[in-house]
Amino acid sequence: MITALEEAKQAVIDRVGEADVALVLGSGLGAYADGLENATAIPYAQIPHMPSSGVSGHAGNLVAGTRAGKHVVAMQGRAHLYEGRSPGDVVFGVRLMASLGAKTLIVTNAAGGIASELEAGDLMAITDQLNLTGTSCLVGPNDDSLGPRFVDMTQAFDSSLVEVAAEVASGLGFELRRGVYAGLLGPTYETPAEVRMLRALGADAVGMSTVLEVIAARHMGLRVLGLSCISNLAAGIADGPLSHDDVKETANRVQSRFASLLAGILEAM
Ligand code: HPA
């Protein structure tokens, strides 16, 4: 595994350089990376061992550039467990960005809103997570060069980064919601009964990504900020069926607010 990571790093380091902050851009949110200064984009296909991202709405580039004087490396699109990817593949990009020197991960996603105060189009800082995928990227022999066997997840999401994000949002004139993100295998959206179960378990929002990436980042000692775009109300909360087109449409609608939030966070960090 470490060899694969080393090979990938060698293939990109000359073009992207060292990174301070790593970003994972979820469904409909990838355009943010195009606004980085002096941006270089490397298609995943040109990076050894980097899994492609098969979902529409996910571009599949590693983009490096600067913003507010910080070196940012961003994944435009990610691999998901529901595509049949292994947990190790799902987190490969995060491990690569960490190996480029990033000490902070900002991970984003589109999610269904469960908590009653959430509305489609809201942005939510993730305060904690429920890994309900049934697996982990840390199953198997531990690679001690990446991190310890048993990883503390008490501060999976850095509370001071949540405060920074909330202040930036209020400066931009909107309230950043906060809540617990439940990550499921997918690829079906949930049934209404599953959504009621998730609410009882303490979830405020639900999606099909993020949780393993956060585990990989914490394993390697990165601080993590998670931001969800509430693209829809979870199944059974609003009338009518859910569709990926609606998810993308809402993410597109809030893209500029989301970009301002990210820019402000990078400045304030
Ligand atoms: N459920 C799971 N994943 C999602 C949802 C949802 O409602 N919306 C966006 N991603």
Side-chain angles (χ1 to χ4, degrees), residues 109-189:
N109 57 52
I114 296 176
S116 55
E117 65 272 19
L118 290 176
E119 290 170 24
D122 278 350
L123 298 181
M124 185 190 93
I126 303 175
T127 54
D128 208 344
Q129 72 178 25
L130 295 166
N131 174 14
L132 300 176
T133 64
T135 190
S136 169
C137 50
L138 302 182
V139 169
N142 186 57
D143 188 331
D144 296 331
S145 70
L146 297 184
R149 167 79 290 185
F150 299 106
V151 180
D152 175 50
M153 295 290 283
T154 312
Q155 275 271 329
F157 296 88
D158 188 293
S159 50
S160 62
L161 288 177
V162 172
E163 294 308 324
V164 168
E167 267 176 42
V168 170
S170 75
L172 291 168
F174 69 94
E175 190 186 342
L176 186 65
R177 308 286 179 185
R178 298 175 194 220
V180 173
Y181 174 91
L184 276 64
L185 177 63
T188 55
Y189 291 114

Side-chain angles (χ1 to χ4, degrees), residues 95-110:
R95 286 179 169 153
L96 174 60
M97 294 191 292
S99 77
L100 296 171
K103 297 283 182 281
T104 305
L105 172 69
I106 304 178
V107 60
T108 70
N109 57 52

